[in-house]
Structure formats: structure tokens, C-alpha cells
Amino acid sequence: MVSLVQSMTGDHPARPVLVFSNKPDAGGLAKAQSLGVPTASVDHRPFGKDRAAFEVELQAALDAAAPDIICLAGFMRIFTPTFTAQWARRMLNIHPSLLPKHKGLHTHTRALEAGDATHGCTVHEVTEELDGGPILGQATITVAPDDTPETLAARVLPLEHQLYPAVLRRYANGDRAPVFLPE
């Protein structure tokens, strides 16, 4: 999130209008405030498994901020098809694997268990299929023989900070051609 906000200056076609979290104590909220970006949060826990009710509250915060594009970063909630349809072609996410491989959780462990020679991250459009939307960019690293899930995660994170801002700049300009960052 910080990398995205910091990238949206100068001739960048987008500006941050809101940082939202489903965790009221998320550290990113304080970081966003320190960067001058308005924040909002709605705790998802009181809604239990009622995702639609949570999304009503989320949508109210979005309506107030009126974003053109939503950039998810560490937002670990699955949206309903209704919500994803409402934001179709206007909601992005970053995922720590080279999709379509390793959708969902524990991607670094799964890449190592699969014996993958390469790993990385992917920015994609959000659709109702979990981690299944069109790929907008990928950054790749070579898996080292001594990598652990932790070292792999640490090596992928800087790529996420490079890739997501590059994809957002292009996407906000209306260009959906994928961005590929080599190792």
C-alpha cells in the first residue's frame, strides 16, 4: 500500500483517495494517515460469515471516497460475486505466486513443495474466481536451493513493491497489457 501511495505523484494518472482495512488496528492505516491519505475501516468479524452484510459497509466507505480503481493489498477477504461484478475491471489485487499456479494461501511453501524453479508475484484483475482474473503483470525470481518459505517471501516482497505500482500506472492510463519484470 505504501509503495502504491508513494508512486501516485507527479504525472501518475491516479491519486489515492482512501485506504480501507477490515482490521481497525491495521498498521497500514497509520501509515496512510502519515502520508496524508484518508482512511476508513470496518471490522469484518461482527459479520461472521455474512460477507454481503460486510460488503454493504465496505461499499458505503467506497461510495464516500468515490474511487475509480480499487487496489487490494493484503486484504484477505473473499468477495461475493455481486461485489466483484460491481467493481469489474476496476479492482486489482497482488498475489504472491506466478498465477495461475498456487492460488490461495501458503504460496511460498507450496512453490517449494512443488519443486518450482521460479516463483514471484502477480497483479491481476479481481473476479469472482479466487485469484483467477486476467493477469496484468508478473515479476519472477529463481528459486534458490536453500530457500525456505520465509526467505522466498522476503525475496518476493520487493518485487511486489516494484510490480504493483508499475501495473497501476499502466492500468490507470487504460492500458491493460501485462507488465513483466524479469529477475
Side-chain angles (χ1 to χ4, degrees):
M1 177 275 300
V2 171
S3 295
L4 287 173
V5 168
Q6 290 176 336
S7 76
M8 289 185 260
T9 61
D11 67 347
H12 197 290
R15 293 292 182 264
V17 298
L18 177 70
V19 170
F20 178 91
S21 179
N22 62 311
K23 296 179 180 179
D25 60 347
L29 295 172
K31 289 177 184 175
Q33 290 170 348
S34 74
L35 294 167
V37 180
T39 63
S41 67
V42 175
D43 190 341
H44 67 276
R45 291 173 294 192
F47 296 95
K49 295 185 183 218
D50 190 349
R51 292 185 290 148
F54 167 74
E55 289 169 358
V56 167
E57 298 298 320
L58 168 57
Q59 187 59 51
L62 293 173
D63 288 343
D68 295 318
I69 300 169
I70 296 174
C71 295
L72 302 174
F75 196 82
M76 303 297 287
R77 307 296 306 160
I78 296 174
F79 293 115
T80 64
T82 300
F83 188 83
T84 56
Q86 178 178 344
W87 287 97
R89 297 185 58 87
R90 298 185 298 148
M91 186 165 36
L92 311 180
N93 190 26
I94 187 151
H95 184 73
S97 80
L98 296 173
L99 292 174
K101 284 183 162 186
H102 312 303
K103 296 178 181 184
L105 301 174
H106 312 294
T107 60
H108 309 302
T109 299
R110 292 168 49 213
L112 292 171
E113 288 173 350
D116 292 350
T118 59
H119 189 54
C121 56
T122 303
V123 176
H124 63 94
E125 285 186 19
V126 176
T127 64
E128 67 180 75
E129 180 188 348
L130 178 68
D131 298 327
I135 292 172
L136 300 170
Q138 291 186 318
T140 305
I141 60 171
T142 300
V143 176
D146 60 344
D147 265 325
T148 65
E150 294 76 22
T151 62
L152 206 48
R155 293 192 315 114
V156 168
L157 187 60
L159 297 176
E160 293 179 12
H161 294 170
Q162 293 171 28
L163 180 65
Y164 212 169
V167 169
L168 175 60
R169 175 181 284 273
R170 224 174 176 168
Y171 195 84
N173 272 323
D175 184 351
R176 285 160 170 75
V179 174
F180 294 100
L181 301 181
E183 184 172 4

Coordinates of all heavy atoms in Angstrom, one line a residue, residues 67-158:
P67 N -13.7 6.1 -5.4 CA -12.6 5.7 -6.2 C -12.9 5.2 -7.6 O -14.1 4.7 -7.8 CB -12.0 4.5 -5.4 CG -13.2 3.9 -4.7 CD -14.1 5.1 -4.4
D68 N -12.0 5.4 -8.5 CA -12.2 4.8 -9.8 C -11.7 3.4 -9.9 O -12.2 2.6 -10.7 CB -11.5 5.7 -10.9 CG -12.0 7.1 -11.0 OD1 -13.2 7.2 -11.0 OD2 -11.2 8.0 -11.0
I69 N -10.6 3.1 -9.1 CA -10.0 1.8 -9.1 C -9.8 1.4 -7.7 O -9.4 2.3 -6.8 CB -8.6 1.9 -9.8 CG1 -8.8 2.3 -11.3 CG2 -7.9 0.5 -9.8 CD1 -7.4 2.6 -12.0
I70 N -10.0 0.1 -7.4 CA -9.6 -0.4 -6.0 C -8.4 -1.2 -6.2 O -8.3 -2.1 -7.1 CB -10.8 -1.3 -5.5 CG1 -12.0 -0.4 -5.2 CG2 -10.3 -1.9 -4.2 CD1 -13.2 -1.3 -4.8
C71 N -7.4 -1.0 -5.3 CA -6.2 -1.8 -5.3 C -6.1 -2.5 -4.0 O -5.9 -1.9 -3.0 CB -4.9 -0.9 -5.5 SG -4.8 -0.1 -7.0
L72 N -6.3 -3.8 -4.0 CA -6.2 -4.7 -2.8 C -4.7 -5.0 -2.6 O -4.0 -5.3 -3.5 CB -7.0 -5.9 -3.0 CG -8.5 -5.8 -3.4 CD1 -9.1 -7.1 -3.7 CD2 -9.2 -5.1 -2.2
A73 N -4.4 -4.9 -1.3 CA -3.0 -5.2 -0.9 C -3.1 -5.8 0.5 O -3.3 -5.1 1.5 CB -2.1 -4.0 -0.9
G74 N -3.0 -7.1 0.6 CA -3.1 -7.7 1.9 C -4.5 -7.8 2.5 O -4.7 -8.0 3.7
F75 N -5.5 -7.6 1.6 CA -6.9 -7.7 2.1 C -7.4 -9.1 1.9 O -7.7 -9.5 0.8 CB -7.8 -6.7 1.2 CG -9.1 -6.4 1.8 CD1 -9.2 -5.4 2.8 CD2 -10.2 -7.1 1.4 CE1 -10.5 -5.1 3.3 CE2 -11.5 -6.8 1.9 CZ -11.6 -5.8 2.9
M76 N -7.4 -9.8 3.0 CA -7.5 -11.3 2.9 C -9.0 -11.7 3.2 O -9.3 -12.5 4.0 CB -6.7 -11.9 4.0 CG -5.2 -11.6 3.9 SD -4.5 -12.2 2.3 CE -4.4 -13.9 2.6
R77 N -9.9 -11.1 2.4 CA -11.3 -11.5 2.4 C -11.7 -11.9 1.0 O -11.3 -11.3 0.0 CB -12.2 -10.3 2.9 CG -11.7 -9.6 4.2 CD -11.8 -10.5 5.4 NE -13.1 -11.1 5.6 CZ -13.3 -12.1 6.3 NH1 -12.3 -12.7 6.9 NH2 -14.5 -12.6 6.4
I78 N -12.6 -12.8 0.9 CA -13.2 -13.3 -0.4 C -14.5 -12.5 -0.6 O -15.3 -12.5 0.3 CB -13.4 -14.8 -0.4 CG1 -12.1 -15.5 -0.3 CG2 -14.1 -15.2 -1.7 CD1 -12.2 -17.0 -0.2
F79 N -14.6 -11.9 -1.7 CA -15.8 -11.1 -2.0 C -16.9 -11.9 -2.7 O -16.6 -12.9 -3.3 CB -15.4 -9.9 -3.0 CG -14.5 -8.9 -2.4 CD1 -13.3 -8.7 -2.9 CD2 -15.0 -8.1 -1.3 CE1 -12.4 -7.7 -2.3 CE2 -14.1 -7.2 -0.7 CZ -12.9 -7.0 -1.3
T80 N -18.1 -11.5 -2.5 CA -19.2 -12.1 -3.2 C -19.2 -11.8 -4.7 O -18.6 -10.8 -5.1 CB -20.6 -11.6 -2.6 OG1 -20.7 -10.2 -2.9 CG2 -20.7 -11.9 -1.1
P81 N -19.8 -12.7 -5.5 CA -19.9 -12.4 -6.9 C -20.6 -11.0 -7.2 O -20.2 -10.3 -8.2 CB -20.7 -13.5 -7.5 CG -20.4 -14.7 -6.5 CD -20.3 -14.0 -5.2
T82 N -21.5 -10.6 -6.4 CA -22.2 -9.3 -6.6 C -21.2 -8.2 -6.4 O -21.2 -7.3 -7.2 CB -23.4 -9.2 -5.6 OG1 -24.3 -10.3 -5.8 CG2 -24.1 -7.8 -5.7
F83 N -20.4 -8.2 -5.4 CA -19.4 -7.2 -5.2 C -18.4 -7.1 -6.3 O -18.1 -6.1 -6.8 CB -18.7 -7.3 -3.8 CG -17.9 -6.2 -3.4 CD1 -18.4 -5.0 -2.9 CD2 -16.5 -6.2 -3.7 CE1 -17.6 -3.9 -2.5 CE2 -15.7 -5.1 -3.3 CZ -16.3 -4.0 -2.8
T84 N -17.9 -8.3 -6.7 CA -16.8 -8.3 -7.7 C -17.4 -7.8 -9.1 O -16.8 -7.2 -9.8 CB -16.2 -9.7 -7.9 OG1 -17.2 -10.7 -8.1 CG2 -15.4 -10.0 -6.6
A85 N -18.7 -8.2 -9.3 CA -19.3 -7.7 -10.6 C -19.5 -6.2 -10.6 O -19.3 -5.6 -11.6 CB -20.7 -8.4 -10.8
Q86 N -19.8 -5.7 -9.4 CA -20.0 -4.2 -9.3 C -18.7 -3.5 -9.6 O -18.7 -2.4 -10.2 CB -20.5 -3.9 -7.9 CG -20.7 -2.4 -7.7 CD -21.2 -2.1 -6.3 OE1 -21.7 -3.0 -5.6 NE2 -21.1 -0.9 -5.8
W87 N -17.6 -4.1 -9.3 CA -16.3 -3.4 -9.5 C -15.5 -4.1 -10.6 O -14.3 -3.9 -10.7 CB -15.5 -3.5 -8.1 CG -16.0 -2.5 -7.2 CD1 -16.9 -2.7 -6.2 CD2 -15.8 -1.1 -7.1 NE1 -17.2 -1.6 -5.5 CE2 -16.5 -0.5 -6.1 CE3 -15.0 -0.2 -7.9 CZ2 -16.5 0.8 -5.8 CZ3 -15.0 1.1 -7.6 CH2 -15.7 1.6 -6.5
A88 N -16.1 -4.8 -11.5 CA -15.5 -5.5 -12.6 C -14.6 -4.5 -13.4 O -15.1 -3.4 -13.7 CB -16.5 -6.2 -13.5
R89 N -13.4 -4.9 -13.7 CA -12.4 -4.1 -14.5 C -12.0 -2.9 -13.8 O -11.5 -2.0 -14.4 CB -12.9 -3.9 -15.9 CG -13.1 -5.2 -16.7 CD -13.5 -5.0 -18.1 NE -12.5 -4.2 -18.9 CZ -11.4 -4.6 -19.5 NH1 -11.2 -5.9 -19.4 NH2 -10.6 -3.8 -20.1
R90 N -12.3 -2.8 -12.4 CA -11.8 -1.6 -11.7 C -11.2 -2.1 -10.3 O -11.0 -1.2 -9.5 CB -13.0 -0.7 -11.4 CG -13.6 -0.1 -12.7 CD -14.7 0.9 -12.5 NE -15.8 0.3 -11.8 CZ -16.6 1.0 -10.9 NH1 -16.4 2.2 -10.6 NH2 -17.6 0.4 -10.4
M91 N -11.0 -3.4 -10.1 CA -10.4 -3.8 -8.9 C -9.2 -4.7 -9.2 O -9.3 -5.7 -9.9 CB -11.5 -4.6 -8.1 CG -11.0 -5.0 -6.7 SD -12.3 -5.5 -5.5 CE -13.5 -6.4 -6.5
L92 N -8.1 -4.4 -8.6 CA -6.8 -5.1 -8.8 C -6.4 -5.8 -7.4 O -6.8 -5.3 -6.4 CB -5.7 -4.2 -9.2 CG -6.0 -3.3 -10.4 CD1 -4.8 -2.4 -10.7 CD2 -6.4 -4.0 -11.6
N93 N -5.6 -6.8 -7.6 CA -5.1 -7.5 -6.4 C -3.6 -8.0 -6.8 O -3.3 -8.2 -7.9 CB -5.9 -8.7 -6.0 CG -5.5 -9.3 -4.6 OD1 -4.9 -8.6 -3.8 ND2 -5.7 -10.5 -4.4
I94 N -2.8 -8.1 -5.7 CA -1.5 -8.6 -5.9 C -1.5 -10.0 -5.1 O -2.0 -10.1 -4.0 CB -0.4 -7.7 -5.4 CG1 1.0 -8.3 -5.8 CG2 -0.5 -7.4 -4.0 CD1 2.1 -7.3 -6.1
H95 N -0.8 -11.0 -5.8 CA -0.8 -12.3 -5.2 C 0.6 -12.8 -5.2 O 1.3 -12.7 -6.2 CB -1.7 -13.2 -6.0 CG -1.8 -14.6 -5.5 ND1 -2.5 -14.9 -4.3 CD2 -1.3 -15.8 -5.9 CE1 -2.4 -16.2 -4.0 NE2 -1.6 -16.7 -5.0
P96 N 1.1 -13.4 -4.1 CA 2.5 -13.9 -4.1 C 2.8 -15.2 -4.7 O 3.2 -16.2 -4.1 CB 2.8 -13.9 -2.6 CG 1.5 -14.2 -2.0 CD 0.4 -13.6 -2.8
S97 N 2.4 -15.3 -6.0 CA 2.8 -16.5 -6.8 C 2.7 -16.1 -8.2 O 2.1 -15.1 -8.6 CB 1.9 -17.7 -6.5 OG 0.7 -17.6 -7.1
L98 N 3.2 -17.0 -9.1 CA 3.1 -16.8 -10.5 C 1.8 -17.5 -11.0 O 1.8 -18.6 -11.4 CB 4.3 -17.3 -11.3 CG 5.6 -16.7 -10.9 CD1 6.8 -17.4 -11.6 CD2 5.6 -15.2 -11.4
L99 N 0.7 -16.7 -10.8 CA -0.6 -17.3 -11.2 C -0.6 -17.7 -12.7 O 0.2 -17.1 -13.5 CB -1.7 -16.2 -11.0 CG -2.0 -15.9 -9.6 CD1 -3.0 -14.7 -9.5 CD2 -2.5 -17.1 -8.8
P100 N -1.2 -18.8 -13.0 CA -2.3 -19.4 -12.3 C -1.8 -20.5 -11.2 O -2.6 -21.1 -10.6 CB -3.1 -20.1 -13.3 CG -2.2 -20.4 -14.4 CD -1.2 -19.3 -14.4
K101 N -0.5 -20.6 -11.0 CA 0.0 -21.5 -10.0 C -0.3 -21.0 -8.6 O -0.2 -19.8 -8.4 CB 1.5 -21.7 -10.1 CG 2.0 -22.5 -11.3 CD 3.5 -22.6 -11.2 CE 4.0 -23.8 -12.0 NZ 5.4 -24.0 -11.8
H102 N -0.6 -21.9 -7.7 CA -0.7 -21.6 -6.3 C -1.6 -20.5 -5.9 O -1.3 -19.5 -5.2 CB 0.7 -21.3 -5.7 CG 1.7 -22.3 -6.2 ND1 1.6 -23.7 -6.0 CD2 2.9 -22.2 -6.9 CE1 2.6 -24.3 -6.5 NE2 3.4 -23.4 -7.0
K103 N -2.9 -20.6 -6.4 CA -3.9 -19.7 -5.9 C -4.2 -19.9 -4.4 O -3.9 -21.0 -3.9 CB -5.2 -20.0 -6.7 CG -5.1 -19.7 -8.2 CD -6.4 -20.0 -8.9 CE -6.3 -19.8 -10.4 NZ -7.5 -20.0 -11.1
G104 N -4.6 -18.9 -3.8 CA -5.0 -19.0 -2.3 C -3.8 -18.8 -1.4 O -2.9 -18.0 -1.7
L105 N -3.8 -19.5 -0.3 CA -2.8 -19.2 0.8 C -1.5 -20.1 0.7 O -1.5 -21.1 -0.1 CB -3.5 -19.5 2.1 CG -4.7 -18.6 2.4 CD1 -5.4 -19.1 3.7 CD2 -4.4 -17.2 2.5
H106 N -0.6 -19.8 1.5 CA 0.7 -20.5 1.7 C 1.4 -20.8 0.3 O 2.0 -21.8 0.1 CB 0.4 -21.9 2.3 CG -0.5 -21.8 3.5 ND1 -0.1 -21.1 4.7 CD2 -1.8 -22.2 3.8 CE1 -1.1 -21.1 5.6 NE2 -2.1 -21.8 5.0
T107 N 1.5 -19.7 -0.5 CA 2.1 -19.9 -1.8 C 3.5 -20.2 -1.8 O 4.0 -21.0 -2.7 CB 1.8 -18.6 -2.6 OG1 2.5 -17.5 -1.9 CG2 0.4 -18.3 -2.8
H108 N 4.3 -19.6 -0.9 CA 5.8 -19.9 -0.9 C 6.0 -21.3 -0.5 O 6.9 -22.0 -1.1 CB 6.5 -18.9 0.1 CG 6.1 -17.5 -0.2 ND1 6.3 -16.9 -1.4 CD2 5.5 -16.6 0.6 CE1 5.8 -15.6 -1.4 NE2 5.4 -15.4 -0.1
T109 N 5.3 -21.8 0.5 CA 5.5 -23.2 0.9 C 5.1 -24.2 -0.3 O 5.8 -25.1 -0.6 CB 4.6 -23.6 2.1 OG1 5.1 -22.7 3.2 CG2 4.7 -25.0 2.5
R110 N 4.0 -23.8 -0.9 CA 3.5 -24.7 -2.0 C 4.5 -24.7 -3.2 O 4.6 -25.7 -3.9 CB 2.1 -24.3 -2.4 CG 1.1 -24.6 -1.2 CD -0.2 -24.0 -1.3 NE -0.9 -24.2 -2.6 CZ -1.7 -23.3 -3.2 NH1 -2.0 -22.2 -2.5 NH2 -2.2 -23.5 -4.3
A111 N 5.1 -23.5 -3.5 CA 6.0 -23.4 -4.6 C 7.2 -24.3 -4.3 O 7.7 -25.0 -5.2 CB 6.5 -22.0 -4.8
L112 N 7.7 -24.3 -3.1 CA 8.8 -25.1 -2.7 C 8.5 -26.6 -2.7 O 9.2 -27.4 -3.2 CB 9.4 -24.7 -1.3 CG 10.0 -23.4 -1.2 CD1 10.3 -23.0 0.2 CD2 11.3 -23.3 -2.1
E113 N 7.3 -27.0 -2.2 CA 6.9 -28.4 -2.2 C 6.7 -28.9 -3.6 O 6.9 -30.1 -3.9 CB 5.6 -28.5 -1.4 CG 5.8 -28.4 0.1 CD 4.5 -28.3 0.9 OE1 3.4 -28.2 0.2 OE2 4.5 -28.4 2.1
A114 N 6.3 -28.0 -4.5 CA 6.1 -28.4 -5.9 C 7.4 -28.5 -6.7 O 7.4 -29.0 -7.8 CB 5.2 -27.4 -6.6
G115 N 8.5 -28.0 -6.1 CA 9.8 -28.0 -6.8 C 9.9 -27.0 -7.9 O 10.7 -27.2 -8.8
D116 N 9.1 -25.9 -7.8 CA 9.2 -24.9 -8.8 C 10.6 -24.3 -8.9 O 11.2 -24.0 -7.9 CB 8.2 -23.7 -8.5 CG 6.7 -24.2 -8.5 OD1 6.4 -25.3 -9.0 OD2 5.9 -23.4 -8.1
A117 N 11.0 -24.1 -10.1 CA 12.3 -23.4 -10.4 C 12.2 -21.9 -10.3 O 13.2 -21.3 -10.0 CB 12.8 -23.9 -11.8
T118 N 11.0 -21.4 -10.6 CA 10.8 -20.0 -10.5 C 9.6 -19.7 -9.6 O 8.7 -20.5 -9.4 CB 10.6 -19.3 -11.9 OG1 9.5 -19.9 -12.5 CG2 11.8 -19.5 -12.8
H119 N 9.6 -18.5 -9.1 CA 8.5 -18.1 -8.2 C 8.4 -16.5 -8.4 O 9.1 -16.0 -9.1 CB 8.8 -18.4 -6.8 CG 7.7 -18.2 -5.8 ND1 6.4 -18.8 -6.0 CD2 7.6 -17.5 -4.7 CE1 5.6 -18.4 -5.0 NE2 6.3 -17.7 -4.1
G120 N 7.4 -15.9 -7.8 CA 7.3 -14.5 -7.9 C 5.9 -14.0 -7.5 O 5.3 -14.5 -6.5
C121 N 5.5 -13.0 -8.2 CA 4.2 -12.4 -7.8 C 3.4 -12.0 -9.0 O 4.0 -11.8 -10.1 CB 4.4 -11.2 -6.9 SG 5.5 -9.9 -7.5
T122 N 2.1 -11.8 -8.9 CA 1.2 -11.5 -10.0 C 0.2 -10.4 -9.5 O -0.3 -10.5 -8.4 CB 0.4 -12.7 -10.4 OG1 1.3 -13.8 -10.7 CG2 -0.5 -12.4 -11.5
V123 N 0.0 -9.4 -10.4 CA -1.1 -8.5 -10.2 C -2.1 -8.9 -11.2 O -1.8 -9.2 -12.4 CB -0.6 -7.0 -10.5 CG1 -1.8 -6.1 -10.4 CG2 0.4 -6.6 -9.5
H124 N -3.4 -9.0 -10.7 CA -4.5 -9.4 -11.6 C -5.7 -8.6 -11.3 O -5.9 -8.0 -10.2 CB -4.7 -10.9 -11.4 CG -5.2 -11.3 -10.0 ND1 -6.5 -11.4 -9.7 CD2 -4.5 -11.5 -8.9 CE1 -6.6 -11.7 -8.4 NE2 -5.3 -11.8 -7.9
E125 N -6.6 -8.6 -12.3 CA -8.0 -8.1 -12.0 C -8.7 -9.1 -11.1 O -8.6 -10.3 -11.2 CB -8.7 -7.9 -13.3 CG -8.3 -6.8 -14.1 CD -9.2 -6.5 -15.4 OE1 -10.3 -7.0 -15.4 OE2 -8.7 -5.8 -16.3
V126 N -9.5 -8.5 -10.2 CA -10.3 -9.3 -9.3 C -11.6 -9.7 -10.0 O -12.3 -8.9 -10.5 CB -10.6 -8.6 -8.0 CG1 -11.5 -9.4 -7.1 CG2 -9.3 -8.3 -7.3
T127 N -11.9 -11.0 -10.0 CA -13.2 -11.5 -10.5 C -13.8 -12.4 -9.4 O -13.1 -12.6 -8.3 CB -13.0 -12.4 -11.8 OG1 -12.2 -13.5 -11.5 CG2 -12.3 -11.5 -12.9
E128 N -14.9 -13.0 -9.7 CA -15.5 -13.9 -8.7 C -14.7 -15.2 -8.4 O -14.8 -15.8 -7.4 CB -16.9 -14.2 -9.0 CG -17.2 -15.1 -10.2 CD -18.6 -15.3 -10.4 OE1 -19.3 -14.4 -10.9 OE2 -19.1 -16.5 -10.1
E129 N -13.8 -15.5 -9.4 CA -12.9 -16.7 -9.2 C -11.7 -16.3 -8.4 O -11.0 -15.4 -8.8 CB -12.5 -17.2 -10.6 CG -11.6 -18.5 -10.4 CD -11.0 -18.9 -11.7 OE1 -11.4 -18.4 -12.8 OE2 -10.1 -19.7 -11.7
L130 N -11.5 -16.9 -7.3 CA -10.4 -16.6 -6.4 C -9.0 -16.6 -7.2 O -8.7 -17.7 -7.8 CB -10.3 -17.6 -5.2 CG -9.1 -17.4 -4.3 CD1 -9.3 -16.2 -3.5 CD2 -9.0 -18.6 -3.3
D131 N -8.3 -15.5 -7.2 CA -7.0 -15.4 -7.8 C -7.1 -15.8 -9.3 O -6.1 -16.3 -9.8 CB -6.0 -16.1 -7.1 CG -5.8 -15.6 -5.7 OD1 -5.9 -14.4 -5.4 OD2 -5.4 -16.4 -4.8
G132 N -8.3 -15.6 -9.9 CA -8.4 -16.1 -11.3 C -8.7 -15.1 -12.4 O -8.9 -15.4 -13.5
G133 N -8.6 -13.8 -12.0 CA -8.9 -12.7 -13.0 C -7.7 -12.6 -14.0 O -6.6 -13.2 -13.8
P134 N -7.9 -11.8 -15.0 CA -6.9 -11.6 -16.0 C -5.6 -11.1 -15.4 O -5.6 -10.2 -14.5 CB -7.5 -10.5 -16.9 CG -9.0 -10.7 -16.8 CD -9.2 -11.1 -15.4
I135 N -4.5 -11.6 -15.8 CA -3.1 -11.3 -15.3 C -2.7 -9.9 -16.0 O -2.7 -9.8 -17.2 CB -2.1 -12.4 -15.6 CG1 -2.5 -13.6 -14.7 CG2 -0.7 -11.9 -15.3 CD1 -1.7 -14.8 -15.0
L136 N -2.3 -9.0 -15.1 CA -1.9 -7.7 -15.6 C -0.4 -7.5 -15.4 O 0.2 -6.5 -15.9 CB -2.6 -6.6 -14.8 CG -4.2 -6.6 -14.9 CD1 -4.8 -5.7 -13.9 CD2 -4.6 -6.3 -16.3
G137 N 0.3 -8.4 -14.7 CA 1.7 -8.2 -14.5 C 2.3 -9.4 -13.7 O 1.5 -9.9 -12.8
Q138 N 3.5 -9.7 -13.9 CA 4.2 -10.7 -13.1 C 5.7 -10.3 -13.0 O 6.3 -9.7 -13.9 CB 4.1 -12.1 -13.7 CG 2.7 -12.7 -13.7 CD 2.6 -14.1 -14.1 OE1 3.2 -14.5 -15.1 NE2 1.8 -14.9 -13.4
A139 N 6.2 -10.6 -11.8 CA 7.7 -10.5 -11.6 C 8.2 -11.8 -11.1 O 7.5 -12.5 -10.3 CB 7.9 -9.4 -10.5
T140 N 9.3 -12.2 -11.6 CA 9.8 -13.6 -11.4 C 11.2 -13.5 -10.7 O 12.0 -12.7 -11.0 CB 9.9 -14.3 -12.8 OG1 8.7 -14.2 -13.4 CG2 10.4 -15.7 -12.6
I141 N 11.4 -14.6 -9.9 CA 12.8 -14.8 -9.3 C 13.0 -16.3 -9.5 O 12.1 -17.1 -9.6 CB 12.9 -14.4 -7.8 CG1 11.9 -15.2 -7.0 CG2 12.8 -13.0 -7.6 CD1 12.1 -15.1 -5.5
T142 N 14.3 -16.7 -9.4 CA 14.7 -18.1 -9.4 C 14.7 -18.6 -8.0 O 15.2 -17.9 -7.1 CB 16.1 -18.2 -10.0 OG1 16.1 -17.7 -11.4 CG2 16.6 -19.7 -10.0
V143 N 14.1 -19.7 -7.8 CA 14.1 -20.4 -6.5 C 15.5 -20.9 -6.2 O 16.0 -21.7 -7.0 CB 13.0 -21.5 -6.4 CG1 13.1 -22.2 -5.1 CG2 11.6 -20.9 -6.7
A144 N 16.1 -20.5 -5.1 CA 17.4 -21.0 -4.7 C 17.3 -22.3 -4.0 O 16.3 -22.6 -3.3 CB 18.1 -20.0 -3.8
P145 N 18.3 -23.2 -4.1 CA 18.3 -24.5 -3.4 C 18.1 -24.4 -1.9 O 17.5 -25.3 -1.4 CB 19.6 -25.1 -3.8 CG 20.2 -24.3 -4.9 CD 19.5 -23.0 -4.9
D146 N 18.5 -23.3 -1.3 CA 18.4 -23.2 0.1 C 17.2 -22.4 0.6 O 17.1 -22.0 1.8 CB 19.7 -22.7 0.8 CG 20.1 -21.3 0.2 OD1 19.5 -20.9 -0.8 OD2 20.9 -20.7 0.9
D147 N 16.3 -22.0 -0.3 CA 15.2 -21.2 0.0 C 14.3 -21.9 1.0 O 14.1 -23.1 0.9 CB 14.4 -20.8 -1.2 CG 14.8 -19.4 -1.8 OD1 15.1 -18.5 -1.0 OD2 14.7 -19.2 -3.0
T148 N 13.7 -21.1 1.9 CA 12.6 -21.6 2.8 C 11.4 -20.7 2.5 O 11.5 -19.7 1.7 CB 13.0 -21.3 4.3 OG1 13.1 -19.9 4.5 CG2 14.3 -22.0 4.6
P149 N 10.3 -21.1 3.0 CA 9.1 -20.2 2.7 C 9.4 -18.7 3.2 O 9.0 -17.8 2.5 CB 8.0 -20.8 3.6 CG 8.4 -22.3 3.6 CD 9.9 -22.3 3.7
E150 N 10.1 -18.6 4.2 CA 10.4 -17.2 4.8 C 11.4 -16.5 3.9 O 11.2 -15.3 3.6 CB 11.0 -17.3 6.2 CG 10.0 -17.9 7.2 CD 9.8 -19.4 7.2 OE1 10.7 -20.1 6.6 OE2 8.7 -19.9 7.6
T151 N 12.4 -17.1 3.4 CA 13.4 -16.5 2.5 C 12.8 -16.1 1.2 O 13.0 -15.1 0.6 CB 14.7 -17.2 2.3 OG1 14.4 -18.5 1.7 CG2 15.4 -17.5 3.7
L152 N 11.9 -17.1 0.7 CA 11.3 -16.8 -0.6 C 10.3 -15.6 -0.4 O 10.3 -14.7 -1.3 CB 10.5 -18.1 -1.0 CG 10.2 -18.3 -2.4 CD1 11.4 -18.1 -3.3 CD2 9.6 -19.7 -2.6
A153 N 9.6 -15.6 0.6 CA 8.7 -14.4 0.9 C 9.4 -13.1 0.9 O 9.0 -12.1 0.3 CB 7.9 -14.6 2.2
A154 N 10.6 -13.1 1.6 CA 11.4 -11.9 1.7 C 11.9 -11.5 0.4 O 12.1 -10.3 0.1 CB 12.5 -12.2 2.7
R155 N 12.2 -12.4 -0.5 CA 12.8 -12.1 -1.8 C 11.7 -11.6 -2.8 O 11.9 -10.8 -3.7 CB 13.6 -13.2 -2.4 CG 14.8 -13.5 -1.6 CD 15.9 -14.4 -2.2 NE 15.4 -15.7 -2.8 CZ 15.5 -15.9 -4.1 NH1 16.0 -15.1 -4.9 NH2 15.0 -17.1 -4.5
V156 N 10.5 -12.1 -2.6 CA 9.3 -11.7 -3.4 C 8.8 -10.4 -3.1 O 8.4 -9.6 -4.0 CB 8.2 -12.8 -3.4 CG1 6.9 -12.3 -4.1 CG2 8.7 -14.1 -4.1
L157 N 8.8 -10.0 -1.8 CA 8.2 -8.7 -1.4 C 8.7 -7.5 -2.1 O 7.9 -6.7 -2.6 CB 8.4 -8.6 0.1 CG 7.6 -7.4 0.7 CD1 6.1 -7.5 0.5 CD2 7.9 -7.3 2.2
P158 N 10.0 -7.3 -2.3 CA 10.5 -6.2 -3.1 C 10.0 -6.1 -4.5 O 9.7 -5.1 -5.1 CB 12.0 -6.3 -3.0 CG 12.3 -7.2 -1.9 CD 11.2 -8.1 -1.8

